[in-house]
Amino acid sequence: MGSHVDVHPPIPAKEMEVKKDEKVDYLNLPCPAPYEEIHREALMSLKPELFEGMRFDFTKGLNQKFALSHSVFMGPMEIPSQSTETIKIPTAHYEFGANYLDPKLMLFGRILTDGRLNARVKCDLTDNLTLKANAQITSEPHMSHGMANFDYKGRDSRTQFQMGNGALFGASYIQSVTPHLSLGSEVFWAGQHRKSGIGFAARYNTDKMVATGQVASTGMVALSYVQKVSEKVSLASDLMYNYMSRDVTASFGYDYILRQCRLRGKFDSNGCAAAFLEERLNMGLNFILSAEIDHRKKDYKFGFGLTVGE
């Protein structure tokens, strides 16, 4: 009587690779995005740098590390008003800037004709510890401010400490718990206003999408979702809700990158639509168009500009 032997077909190599990929090495998780930047992909589409009027920016590099910039802006400026109508007054200013760029140290300085002085610093103290600081000095009383931020980048986590004038202190921590999911929390104390708060956030990202959620004891709830349709097209949406004031706003945006231009825009539930176009005319020469329509306030904004230099 012959013996019976079961013969199984060999497992395809692709299936073996998939099984190997399913195993997660929790001791080698990726470093997450900073807590303050968990919505960065959504903000690229939903918060473009809109402006009204005319803008001209010129940047001249003196060497590989040092550059000077000149900016001219002419356009209306909104002033606070208790009426529903938007009140604008014509204004113009010139801004002179200096930039120092080094792999471990970046310095930015700006001074405007109205007397405001802005400064920003980013310094890598070690391979894992970075100092970020910014300050604004103005002649108006109680309007000058400064902020310092220490960012520690761990293997699979980030820790940040913030200090600012007005006895402002804050700390945040975010941790990767899977290759795609990270969870974080923050606390802050504003001594000048005697207010404190705590917040929690979650971020889930893959090669094709990013979903984030954030809630704080101040009443803020923020949700965002970004879908990468292709290498050139991304769609974004967010929901902002304040459970104390019961205010809610939903926004939908897009980001379309072409060979010579980039188009971003958004629509929100308040009846506001906006678009921002950056067209590359030549090497180091960009043309900018900005438009925003607020149907509820009947406020219409249009701006155009040129950017010269890289």
Side-chain angles (χ1 to χ4, degrees), residues 13 16 46 57 61 69 75 78 92 106 122 129 150 153 161 168 171 176 187 215 220 228 231 235 269 290-291 304:
M16 294 181 65
L46 301 174
D57 301 306
S69 66
E78 296 184 9
M106 290 187 286
K122 182 181 178 182
L129 182 62
F150 292 92
K153 181 180 179 181
F161 295 97
L168 177 63
S176 293
V187 294
V215 61
M220 183 270 295
K228 190 174 183 180
E231 292 295 329
L235 301 177
S269 57
S290 174
F304 67 96

Side-chain angles (χ1 to χ4, degrees), residues 11-292:
I11 300 176
K14 291 184 178 180
E15 293 185 9
M16 294 181 65
E17 291 179 1
V18 171
K19 291 182 179 180
K20 289 182 180 180
D21 292 340
E22 290 177 353
K23 295 181 180 180
V24 178
D25 184 5
Y26 289 98
L27 297 179
N28 191 24
L29 295 175
C31 185
Y35 189 93
E36 60 184 8
E37 298 180 12
I38 61 171
H39 302 287
R40 61 189 179 189
E41 290 84 1
L43 294 178
M44 288 297 294
S45 301
L46 301 174
K47 302 290 184 183
E49 298 179 5
L50 301 172
F51 64 96
E52 184 178 12
M54 188 277 291
R55 199 176 87 186
F56 177 76
D57 301 306
F58 174 74
T59 302
K60 175 64 176 179
L62 303 182
N63 53 45
Q64 293 183 349
K65 296 183 178 181
F66 193 70
L68 299 178
S69 66
H70 307 268
S71 300
V72 177
F73 173 79
M74 292 185 290
M77 181 181 64
E78 296 184 9
I79 59 175
S81 174
Q82 296 181 352
S83 63
T84 56
E85 296 183 359
T86 303
I87 300 177
K88 302 179 181 180
I89 58 174
T91 183
H93 66 252
Y94 164 75
E95 178 183 282
F96 173 76
N99 306 329
Y100 178 82
L101 302 177
D102 186 77
K104 292 191 175 183
L105 177 63
M106 290 187 286
L107 304 174
F108 304 91
R110 299 288 185 272
I111 185 167
L112 286 79
T113 50
D114 59 7
R116 284 180 294 167
L117 174 64
N118 299 313
R120 288 188 295 138
V121 178
K122 182 181 178 182
C123 178
D124 293 335
L125 302 178
T126 66
D127 292 338
N128 297 325
L129 182 62
T130 301
L131 167 65
K132 300 177 183 178
N134 62 81
Q136 182 182 78
I137 301 175
T138 178
S139 57
E140 300 179 19
H142 311 294
M143 294 301 294
S144 299
H145 61 84
M147 176 76 71
N149 187 328
F150 292 92
D151 184 359
Y152 180 79
K153 181 180 179 181
R155 186 174 58 182
D156 55 4
S157 64
R158 279 182 181 267
T159 305
Q160 291 182 320
F161 295 97
Q162 295 179 342
M163 298 176 292
N165 62 325
L168 177 63
F169 299 95
S172 64
Y173 178 81
I174 187 167
Q175 171 75 53
S176 293
V177 294
T178 72
H180 302 292
L181 177 64
S182 54
L183 303 175
S185 179
E186 69 170 344
V187 294
F188 69 87
W189 163 254
Q192 186 175 359
H193 302 285
R194 300 293 180 180
K195 291 183 179 180
S196 61
I198 186 172
F200 302 93
R203 174 185 166 97
Y204 185 86
N205 66 285
T206 64
D207 295 336
K208 294 293 185 179
M209 53 81 68
V210 178
T212 62
Q214 189 176 6
V215 61
S217 59
T218 55
M220 183 270 295
V221 178
L223 305 174
S224 68
Y225 178 80
V226 178
Q227 179 69 46
K228 190 174 183 180
V229 181
S230 66
E231 292 295 329
K232 297 181 178 180
V233 182
S234 297
L235 301 177
S237 63
D238 74 346
L239 177 69
M240 305 293 293
Y241 174 64
N242 192 310
Y243 58 79
M244 291 185 178
S245 62
R246 304 301 180 183
D247 292 333
V248 59
T249 303
S251 303
F252 304 91
Y254 56 89
D255 190 350
Y256 193 14
I257 302 177
L258 297 173
R259 189 168 60 91
Q260 293 288 343
C261 74
R262 181 176 187 178
L263 178 63
R264 289 177 283 172
K266 71 161 188 175
F267 310 89
D268 65 31
S269 57
N270 292 327
C272 183
F276 189 80
L277 172 68
E278 297 171 278
E279 176 79 22
R280 184 165 186 166
L281 303 178
N282 206 336
M283 182 68 68
L285 179 62
N286 296 331
F287 178 65
I288 303 173
L289 281 178
S290 174
E292 184 178 11

